[in-house]
Amino acid sequence: MNDRKETSDSLKTRQGRKDFLYNIIFESDTPEGKAFDIVLMVCILVSVIIAIFGSTFTAEWLKKTVFVLEYFFTVFFTLEYILRIYCSRNPKGYVLSLFGIIDLLSILPMYLGFFLPQIQYAIIFRCLRLVRVFRVLKLFSFLTEGNVLIQAILASWKKIAVFFMFVVLLVICLGTLMFMVEGNHEGTMFDNLPNSLYWAVVTLSTVGYGDITPVTTMGRFLSAIIMLLGYTILAVPSGIISAAFIRGTGRPVNKRCSNCGRSSHDKDARYCKYCGTRFEDDVDHMD
């Protein structure tokens, strides 16, 4: 009874109401906060499902139902966004935060849809709000691993940028070469350099749409070489990021000792921790 009386008294003040809403909207340790988060997750899931399958409906009454439901959820998420700003301890910080930007992007498309009808389908990005499930279910370890991966990518961006530049130059050279080989033959689709460059991108990335194909023997031979080259190139960025990821986590590298055959040594180990053999001439093996 005392707790209810204190709560009732606190709601009479503006700051008390803000604190009450803050504990429900931003916190998930209280029963009210957990219930709010669960309801929010359900609403997000339902709105995303409606947006996905709503475009397949042909019956007029179904289209109207989807329209009403989409705006109902948009109004709900708009009120929630306003309340988050109202009760936040740092409103500006929330608005400019990642979650704040995602919350805003989840409601803007429906309002912009009055001027640009096609943009309303961007409400699908509302599914990004489901990231909050990590907070609700206390899965912070997953977020920590995600941060490690992001740090590995950021640490490798210079190498990736150099590799990307190399791939762009390679595409230009290969596309030009195919244009030289195929460009003068009747019935070829390599009738201009942009088409040849587009084909080089699709082929080197191993996507292979098949909308542009060579007609000469030399062109087909060259395309086969480029396809095989594409498989080799795809392995490079993943290797760069993997190496940075291992360095970032500080986890042991499976360096195997040539003397005793045991592995799981630290990445900077110089001697085997089991038999004392120096790793100077050993080769690293990744299991």
Side-chain angles (χ1 to χ4, degrees), residues 68-130:
V68 171
L69 288 175
E70 285 180 345
Y71 274 98
F72 167 78
F73 285 117
T74 299
V75 171
F76 172 77
F77 292 131
T78 302
L79 292 175
E80 181 227 351
Y81 180 71
I82 294 173
L83 287 176
R84 284 183 182 274
I85 297 175
Y86 170 74
C87 67
S88 175
R89 306 280 171 79
N90 182 12
K92 183 178 179 180
Y94 162 71
V95 171
L96 299 178
S97 67
L98 177 61
F99 281 122
I101 294 173
I102 291 175
D103 292 344
L104 179 61
L105 291 178
S106 69
I107 59 177
L108 275 182
M110 290 302 295
Y111 296 113
L112 295 177
F114 288 108
F115 309 100
L116 300 170
Q118 286 298 113
I119 203 173
Q120 66 182 357
Y121 293 105
I123 61 172
I124 294 295
F125 297 136
R126 191 174 286 168
C127 64
L128 294 175
R129 300 196 64 191
L130 293 174

Side-chain angles (χ1 to χ4, degrees), residues 94-219:
Y94 162 71
V95 171
L96 299 178
S97 67
L98 177 61
F99 281 122
I101 294 173
I102 291 175
D103 292 344
L104 179 61
L105 291 178
S106 69
I107 59 177
L108 275 182
M110 290 302 295
Y111 296 113
L112 295 177
F114 288 108
F115 309 100
L116 300 170
Q118 286 298 113
I119 203 173
Q120 66 182 357
Y121 293 105
I123 61 172
I124 294 295
F125 297 136
R126 191 174 286 168
C127 64
L128 294 175
R129 300 196 64 191
L130 293 174
V131 174
R132 281 196 172 90
V133 74
F134 292 106
R135 179 175 66 87
V136 177
L137 301 180
K138 307 299 183 183
L139 301 177
F140 292 108
S141 59
F142 287 87
L143 293 179
T144 302
E145 294 296 329
N147 290 332
V148 173
L149 180 59
I150 292 174
Q151 292 298 324
I153 294 174
L154 293 177
S156 307
W157 77 268
K158 292 182 180 179
K159 296 178 182 178
I160 295 175
V162 172
F163 172 75
F164 178 76
M165 187 188 309
F166 167 77
V167 171
V168 171
L169 296 176
L170 187 61
V171 164
I172 294 174
C173 294
L174 294 176
T176 302
L177 185 59
M178 281 299 293
F179 177 66
M180 294 166 59
V181 172
E182 292 277 326
N184 295 325
H185 290 78
E186 185 178 353
T188 182
M189 299 186 69
F190 294 86
D191 51 354
N192 58 65
L193 197 52
N195 280 352
S196 300
L197 295 178
Y198 161 77
W199 173 88
V201 171
V202 172
T203 305
L204 194 63
S205 62
T206 69
V207 175
Y209 290 124
D211 53 344
I212 301 178
T213 55
V215 296
T216 65
T217 302
M218 180 58 70

Side-chain angles (χ1 to χ4, degrees), residues 9-22 85-88 91:
D9 292 339
S10 64
L11 291 177
K12 294 179 181 179
T13 63
R14 184 171 181 270
Q15 186 60 42
R17 290 191 293 270
K18 291 179 66 174
D19 291 339
F20 178 76
L21 289 173
Y22 181 88
I85 297 175
Y86 170 74
C87 67
S88 175

